[in-house]
Amino acid sequence: MLLLILAILLPPNSQSIFSRSHSQPEVDLSRPPELQPHNQVNMSVPTGATVRLHCSVTNVENQAVSWIRLSDYQILTNGLKTFTTDRRFSLLHSPGGSEWTLQIQSVKHKDQGGYQCQAATASGVRTLSSWLWVNKPSAAILGSREKHVNLGKSVTITCELRDNVKQPEYVFWYHNGSMINFTPGVMVSTSVLEPDPDSLWVAPPNTTVSKLTISNTSQDHAGNYTCDPSNADSDSIRLSVTKDMGLILHQREQSSTSCAEMLKHTRLLNMVTCILFRICLIW
């Protein structure tokens, strides 16, 4: 009798009412959550950048969505709560929205790896995975791996840092393992390369250029030079210091001329000596 009364009193759509979430009426628990595929399956970012891993889930309660780090299976977020003490990790979500975005600030190389967005259902867990690659920017000294300069001349070595999130705190230059930024006779200048509207070549954004200039080279300046930024891998070249080849050729020409003249004078002297010797024999 009680069941008959309930059947009469309840409206025809009572089943959908009981299947609705109490905290989120717009969620129909009779249907499983839906995870929308996205294009950011593999992402590559430089160290220091901010990255956002997207996860679009519909028809799900807040507490049913989690982000997991696959390298150690650490639960980073569950619902709107963050379960890691690393403040670089946070969840971006608007009430009633379908986007559950994991944000990582000041990305480090240790953050590289897989991340998984999970939506719990009555029959199991649905997942959406992303892979994060973290690249450390590298320095690049322009030109050949070995440079040559004439003794006493000035030389400039240029080092470029591309795809940096921000300008490095410092760029140290090393000569045979010793830092030379403040060595007398050596000048180091570092700046961000500004766009040049008249140039045919457009530098990538945030390109930092560091220049090392030696005003008066000596044999002591020969050796290995390394450009070592604070936020990038270093690069090295070798510098050779030689005498002015033009001067050497000129000296060789002078030496050859002197030898020729000396030989000429020697032959003339021998000829005169021979003539005098014959005259003496006649007398």
Side-chain angles (χ1 to χ4, degrees):
M1 180 64 68
L2 181 60
L3 294 176
L4 179 61
I5 295 174
L6 289 174
I8 296 174
L9 294 178
L10 290 176
N13 61 346
S14 60
Q15 181 179 359
S16 61
I17 293 177
F18 281 113
S19 65
R20 297 287 175 176
S21 168
H22 294 288
S23 59
Q24 298 172 257
E26 71 278 5
V27 177
D28 186 359
L29 298 180
S30 65
R31 295 189 296 110
E34 297 179 5
L35 279 75
Q36 304 297 328
H38 56 84
N39 297 326
Q40 295 179 327
V41 177
N42 294 305
M43 295 188 64
S44 179
V45 298
T47 54
T50 296
V51 63
R52 293 178 177 179
L53 304 179
H54 295 278
C55 180
S56 181
V57 188
T58 57
N59 196 50
V60 67
E61 292 183 295
N62 289 344
Q63 64 271 20
V65 180
S66 302
W67 272 100
I68 310 295
R69 183 170 55 204
L70 298 180
S71 60
D72 56 0
Y73 293 98
Q74 165 76 40
I75 299 176
L76 301 173
T77 65
N78 177 251
L80 301 177
K81 295 182 179 180
T82 303
F83 285 87
T84 175
T85 57
D86 193 336
R87 296 183 178 275
R88 298 180 302 114
F89 291 83
S90 60
L91 182 75
L92 304 180
H93 175 72
S94 300
S98 61
E99 289 293 330
W100 298 79
T101 302
L102 178 67
Q103 178 175 272
I104 311 175
Q105 296 177 309
S106 300
V107 171
K108 300 179 181 179
H109 191 267
K110 67 177 184 179
D111 298 324
Q112 179 171 292
Y115 293 83
Q116 194 172 80
C117 176
Q118 298 183 351
T121 69
S123 58
V125 177
R126 296 199 173 190
T127 63
L128 191 64
S129 298
S130 300
W131 189 272
L132 178 63
W133 298 93
V134 180
N135 303 315
K136 187 176 181 181
S138 59
I141 296 179
L142 304 185
S144 62
R145 294 294 85 191
E146 184 163 352
K147 295 184 179 295
H148 297 267
V149 62
N150 290 332
L151 184 67
K153 299 296 184 178
S154 174
V155 63
T156 297
I157 304 174
T158 303
C159 178
E160 276 194 1
L161 294 76
R162 299 180 181 179
D163 301 324
N164 283 291
V165 177
K166 58 182 179 180
Q167 187 175 359
E169 296 180 6
Y170 57 82
V171 178
F172 286 155
W173 283 87
Y174 293 89
H175 176 223
N176 294 334
S178 298
M179 199 263 286
I180 57 171
N181 285 53
F182 309 103
T183 301
V186 175
M187 184 180 68
V188 174
S189 61
T190 302
S191 61
V192 177
L193 192 62
E194 299 294 338
D196 185 0
D198 299 326
S199 176
L200 298 177
W201 177 78
V202 179
N206 299 322
T207 298
T208 300
V209 176
S210 182
K211 294 184 178 182
L212 170 74
T213 301
I214 304 173
S215 57
N216 185 16
T217 55
S218 66
Q219 291 293 347
D220 293 336
H221 290 126
N224 187 73
Y225 284 84
T226 300
C227 172
D228 188 16
S230 61
N231 60 344
D233 291 330
S234 62
D235 190 23
S236 299
I237 64 160
R238 186 165 186 82
L239 178 67
S240 297
V241 180
T242 57
K243 291 184 177 180
D244 190 344
M245 294 305 296
L247 179 60
I248 292 175
L249 292 175
H250 180 66
Q251 291 174 343
R252 287 181 178 177
E253 289 177 358
Q254 287 184 334
S255 177
S256 299
T257 302
S258 300
C259 290
E261 291 179 353
M262 184 178 296
L263 181 60
K264 182 179 179 181
H265 292 159
T266 302
R267 289 179 178 175
L268 181 59
L269 180 60
N270 291 337
M271 186 180 298
V272 172
T273 303
C274 182
I275 293 173
L276 291 175
F277 180 73
R278 288 183 179 179
I279 291 175
C280 290
L281 288 177
I282 295 173
W283 284 97

